[in-house]
Amino acid sequence: MLRSSLKLSGCKKHVDLSSNVEKEDYSLPVFRSNELRVKRDGSSASERVPVLAWLVFVNSIIVVVAFHGKVMEFVSLISPSSASASEERSPYHYHPSSVEKHVLDNLNGLGLTSSTEYADTCAIVRDTRSPVYVDLQNYFSELNHYNDLIKDFQPITHDLRELINANEENIEEVCSITKLHSDGLGGIFTSRLVSNSTDAGAMEPLLPTMRSHKMCNNFAKHVMSMDYLVHDFYSMCKKLASWHWVNVGVDSTPGSKMNPFTTITNHFSPDDFVVVKLDIDTSAVENLLARQLRDDPKLLGLVDQFYFEDHVKQKELKKSWGESAEGSVAESLELMASMREKGVASHYWP
């Protein structure tokens, strides 16, 4: 029997997930807290408000973090959505940076296409003859500046959700305090070498290293570093909404009860902000889930941000991953680029 531990605001309750989701346990008052209330002021308990769900897959465990408005209870996440159709959005566009485009256009020439041989993904970083070498050095310099600003940024101690008016008329003013530079990320990455999308804003270019380029000089120090990631916090702020965690086992079969994407498609709408982190350390399972996301139009319309540690034939990680690695670096880059093109801001996870 599969059991799961749910923890909200210090409260903990074990729930039997092998039974029907309508089971009474899911709506026990123990899950209520100061942040998670039944309804907004003046609204009905069934009213739908935007949710931010964060699904984290770690060693076959899924952690669902759902950010909702100030007023909800846990049961609202497992009951059918009452959301109406989303408002019409402007057309989505993804603009890969010039270095990302160079990589994707030259996968074979960069030695990244073999699914049996381990690819040297640091070669592009070291090759001074590469047509993008100068651009990469400029980008890395700007990335260092970005990370310095992140470190120096004073924490925002108040809840931004409480500052945004119900009609969101002041959302620009509130979210502006999340900017690292008065001109946004464009004022930091002046060489315009970050990739960009109309929904998620700026993001790091997809590179063969699939993590910090600094590992190429000092593997032990930088292999788990996250300083290669670029996030547009201003764009994220505009989709803010509170927290829930759910741990369950993973089944990669599409449509199955324990497939996390079944939960997303059944209970969230395009108005929700959904972040998925996939890192199961079992290629056969995580590859199926990643490709399900890539190929399912409904999922692509629901998931906003995707983080993935793809265990492929990467020379630098051969010792760490051993025989568990499957597929080529090129296949992985094409997978992530495809999801970016389809509207999901996709990032590699270290």
Side-chain angles (χ1 to χ4, degrees):
M1 178 179 292
L2 177 65
R3 299 185 71 81
S4 175
S5 172
L6 290 87
K7 188 173 183 180
L8 297 178
S9 300
C11 301
K12 191 170 185 179
K13 180 73 178 179
H14 290 287
V15 178
D16 181 1
L17 292 181
S18 62
S19 59
N20 200 313
V21 294
E22 278 86 30
K23 188 164 181 171
E24 183 180 1
D25 286 344
Y26 282 107
S27 57
L28 290 174
V30 70
F31 295 116
R32 296 193 186 180
S33 72
N34 291 332
E35 287 187 84
L36 307 174
R37 300 182 186 274
V38 179
K39 57 185 178 180
R40 287 179 182 252
D41 294 339
S43 69
S44 65
S46 62
E47 181 181 357
R48 175 77 172 175
V49 295
V51 175
L52 165 58
W54 191 312
L55 288 140
V56 183
F57 308 66
V58 184
N59 299 327
S60 80
I61 295 297
I62 308 168
V63 182
V64 180
V65 184
F67 291 78
H68 203 290
K70 319 177 207 183
V71 291
M72 80 170 253
E73 62 179 355
F74 181 73
V75 68
S76 66
L77 286 179
I78 57 170
S79 59
S81 169
S82 60
S84 58
S86 303
E87 295 181 5
E88 186 176 347
R89 300 181 179 183
S90 57
Y92 173 83
H93 295 289
Y94 174 65
H95 306 282
S97 76
S98 58
V99 291
E100 178 176 323
K101 190 173 187 306
H102 171 79
V103 169
L104 294 169
D105 288 345
N106 295 276
L107 294 172
N108 188 52
L110 293 171
L112 305 174
T113 56
S114 176
S115 59
T116 56
E117 300 295 325
Y118 285 80
D120 181 359
T121 60
C122 283
I124 193 173
V125 177
R126 300 186 178 118
D127 186 4
T128 58
R129 299 168 300 175
S130 167
V132 295
Y133 180 78
V134 173
D135 280 347
L136 279 174
Q137 303 316 305
N138 289 335
Y139 169 67
F140 293 151
S141 176
E142 292 172 351
L143 182 63
N144 287 337
H145 180 44
Y146 167 83
N147 281 302
D148 287 340
L149 293 174
I150 290 284
K151 293 173 185 176
D152 293 339
F153 189 80
Q154 294 301 308
I156 299 172
T157 57
H158 39 268
D159 190 335
L160 296 180
R161 295 167 299 165
E162 296 180 353
L163 301 180
I164 299 173
N165 296 337
N167 59 9
E168 298 186 349
E169 63 182 4
N170 67 334
I171 193 168
E172 295 284 344
E173 177 186 354
V174 171
C175 290
S176 288
I177 69 176
T178 67
K179 290 183 176 181
L180 299 173
H181 188 281
S182 58
D183 293 329
L185 293 189
I188 302 171
F189 295 97
T190 56
S191 298
R192 302 294 186 265
L193 293 169
V194 287
S195 297
N196 217 294
S197 82
T198 49
D199 283 356
M203 63 193 84
E204 72 286 351
L206 293 172
L207 297 175
T209 49
M210 302 194 294
R211 56 188 65 217
S212 176
H213 66 282
K214 294 179 181 179
M215 74 167 183
C216 299
N217 295 322
N218 190 329
F219 183 85
K221 182 177 180 180
H222 297 291
V223 66
M224 297 303 292
S225 171
M226 297 175 66
D227 63 5
Y228 63 97
L229 291 169
V230 174
H231 292 106
D232 194 329
F233 299 111
Y234 172 74
S235 295
M236 291 183 178
C237 173
K238 291 185 173 182
K239 298 182 178 181
L240 276 181
S242 317
W243 299 48
H244 292 276
W245 284 267
V246 180
N247 295 341
V248 297
V250 179
D251 183 346
S252 59
T253 305
S256 73
K257 180 179 175 181
M258 294 305 179
N259 183 312
F261 291 134
T262 301
T263 299
I264 292 179
T265 54
N266 288 345
H267 305 301
F268 297 101
S269 80
D271 289 332
D272 301 326
F273 186 64
V274 182
V275 180
V276 179
K277 173 181 175 281
L278 177 57
D279 181 14
I280 300 176
D281 292 335
T282 305
S283 296
V285 176
E286 61 190 10
N287 286 340
L288 288 174
L289 289 169
R291 282 151 182 79
Q292 181 185 353
L293 172 58
R294 178 196 63 190
D295 299 333
D296 188 327
K298 186 173 182 180
L299 276 174
L300 289 168
L302 297 173
V303 177
D304 295 273
Q305 299 271 342
F306 178 60
Y307 297 81
F308 184 25
E309 183 178 25
D310 198 357
H311 301 83
V312 294
K313 299 288 186 177
Q314 185 177 3
K315 178 181 177 181
E316 293 79 9
L317 276 296
K318 180 179 180 180
K319 185 175 180 180
S320 301
W321 292 343
E323 298 302 317
S324 68
E326 291 183 5
S328 69
V329 173
E331 289 171 325
S332 180
L333 287 165
E334 289 175 330
L335 169 72
M336 300 292 272
S338 174
M339 283 193 276
R340 286 186 173 191
E341 292 283 354
K342 293 178 179 182
V344 179
S346 301
H347 312 264
Y348 283 112
W349 187 263

